Amino acid sequence: MFIPHFFKGLFRTTVALGAIAIAAPQASAGVLHNGWNYSIDALNDGSGGYGYEIEGLATTETADSIYFALTGGTPLTGVYNDRAQDDNVGWGDLFLNFSGNTARKATNQGDMFGIRFAGTNDSGVNKLGLYSNVKTKNVAGKNAGYKNLNHYYTAESGKYDQYNTMGTDLATKEDAYAYLYGQNVANNPTDKNTKTRNVIKKGDFLGGIDFLSDSELGTAGLDFGNFGVGNANTIGFKLSKSLFNDILPDGISPFMAHVFLECANDAVAIASSVTIPGESKDVPEPTTLLGLGLFGLVVAGQRRKSALKA
Ligand SMILES: [Ca+2]
Ligand SMILES: [Ca+2]
Ligand SMILES: [Ca+2]
């Protein structure tokens, strides 16, 4: 069973927090810098040139909002490509998984969230914003891309199989396969069992997102330049934590986020966490703490069980 190192740390943090009932420190993964958590992607694994090169994904939070930022050679509105059905290849949708399970299992169980942030892409949902209970689909075929991940990794003698293939937190293709499809697939990836699912097919709309300008992102502390990237296109947006009311428990929720381009020529993921404020932040009620502890224990327990089976 694949358990990303950082993810394991996050779950431990959650459990410990429930047990000792101390004010929540910000759980972290990836690379922390100036208040943001960064996952820097391989800089030479974008098939087709710089227009299809993801450089990084970063996230942070304030008391009431979650922030995401993406950077690379692909602009928010995509790039012209006459081999795509709509003559345009851009970003897929960003997926958020709080379940502690693989992306496939989370999706099958109705636990996957998705954010459509690229208004010109081929998403199956219309409005930009956050969706719950998402089903996913593949649009790489009509965007002149890789319909499956095995094809991407074996194309051109494996030149796109680079370290940090989906950023810092899914560094190898085995990690990527295991997170997306499960360990069995990671052990034997084929064209058939690694279909690229890169946009929302359908889901329940929870609310919109607010885009952030470069200067707003800078004020918020974003600094891709610290890692030598972020010189071309940086896309940033935030969403209100209130969209997760009655969905996520109060306290720290670890998550995995990932995004592919529409052509699946590049992808990146990040392991991070968000703290959902309780109704009484300073003096948590016992039930809240109990809930938090149980949530962490249940998730950690599920993962241990999975690990035993694998
Ligand atoms: Ca890349
Ligand atoms: Ca397209
Ligand atoms: Ca990548």
Side-chain angles (χ1 to χ4, degrees):
M1 175 62 194
F2 156 75
I3 304 176
H5 175 70
F6 300 107
F7 224 28
K8 275 193 288 192
L10 289 175
F11 281 107
R12 263 187 241 114
T13 306
T14 306
V15 175
L17 221 107
I20 57 178
I22 301 288
Q26 187 178 2
S28 60
V31 182
L32 277 180
H33 168 64
N34 207 19
W36 286 72
N37 181 12
Y38 294 84
S39 179
I40 303 300
D41 197 60
L43 300 182
N44 50 357
D45 67 342
S47 170
Y50 189 62
Y52 311 96
E53 186 71 72
I54 297 174
E55 295 177 330
L57 166 61
T59 181
T60 192
E61 63 179 326
T62 58
D64 57 7
S65 298
I66 310 168
Y67 289 59
F68 289 100
L70 287 154
T71 198
T74 313
L76 178 59
T77 51
V79 295
Y80 175 78
N81 186 324
D82 62 9
R83 293 193 299 131
Q85 266 183 25
D86 63 352
D87 287 343
N88 180 279
V89 175
W91 292 87
D93 297 327
L94 179 72
F95 294 104
L96 295 178
N97 178 5
F98 297 91
S99 73
N101 291 315
T102 65
R104 171 175 285 172
K105 188 170 182 183
T107 306
N108 288 343
Q109 294 187 337
D111 291 333
M112 188 63 99
F113 296 82
I115 297 173
R116 184 181 185 199
F117 62 91
T120 58
N121 78 357
D122 300 319
S123 183
V125 293
N126 289 323
K127 275 187 282 193
L128 299 191
L130 175 70
Y131 294 77
S132 65
N133 188 23
V134 303
K135 299 304 172 196
T136 57
K137 67 175 182 177
N138 175 301
V139 294
K142 60 180 183 180
N143 284 281
Y146 297 95
K147 293 181 192 173
N148 63 79
L149 208 49
N150 189 55
H151 184 197
Y152 168 78
Y153 283 128
T154 54
E156 300 186 51
S157 306
K159 70 185 278 195
Y160 305 118
D161 176 12
Q162 299 288 333
Y163 194 68
N164 290 336
T165 179
M166 287 184 73
T168 316
D169 297 330
L170 295 177
T172 67
K173 67 174 182 240
E174 289 77 17
D175 289 346
Y177 282 137
Y179 172 64
L180 294 171
Y181 311 105
Q183 189 61 51
N184 288 343
V185 170
N187 293 342
N188 182 28
T190 67
D191 284 3
K192 277 198 173 147
N193 64 17
T194 63
K195 187 175 171 186
T196 317
R197 297 187 164 277
N198 52 356
V199 299
I200 302 166
K201 181 179 182 184
K202 61 179 183 176
D204 302 325
F205 184 70
L206 295 179
I209 55 173
D210 293 315
F211 283 98
L212 300 162
S213 68
D214 285 347
S215 70
E216 286 170 325
L217 290 167
T219 301
L222 182 70
D223 182 19
F224 275 121
N226 182 61
F227 305 94
V229 299
N231 296 316
N233 306 283
T234 295
I235 300 158
F237 54 86
K238 65 177 179 178
L239 58 157
S240 172
K241 289 181 179 178
S242 66
L243 301 181
F244 293 103
N245 278 354
D246 302 325
I247 295 176
L248 294 178
D250 294 346
I252 294 182
S253 283
F255 66 83
M256 287 287 290
H258 78 275
V259 62
F260 280 86
L261 296 181
E262 280 189 295
C263 49
N265 285 25
D266 204 353
V268 68
I270 192 166
S272 194
S273 71
V274 59
T275 302
I276 303 297
E279 286 176 18
S280 174
K281 287 179 217 170
D282 295 329
V283 187
E285 295 171 18
T287 48
T288 305
L289 291 168
L290 183 64
L292 174 64
L294 283 178
F295 173 75
L297 287 170
V298 166
V299 175
Q302 281 171 346
R303 298 185 73 83
R304 276 195 294 273
K305 260 189 278 174
S306 304
L308 287 176
K309 266 185 272 174

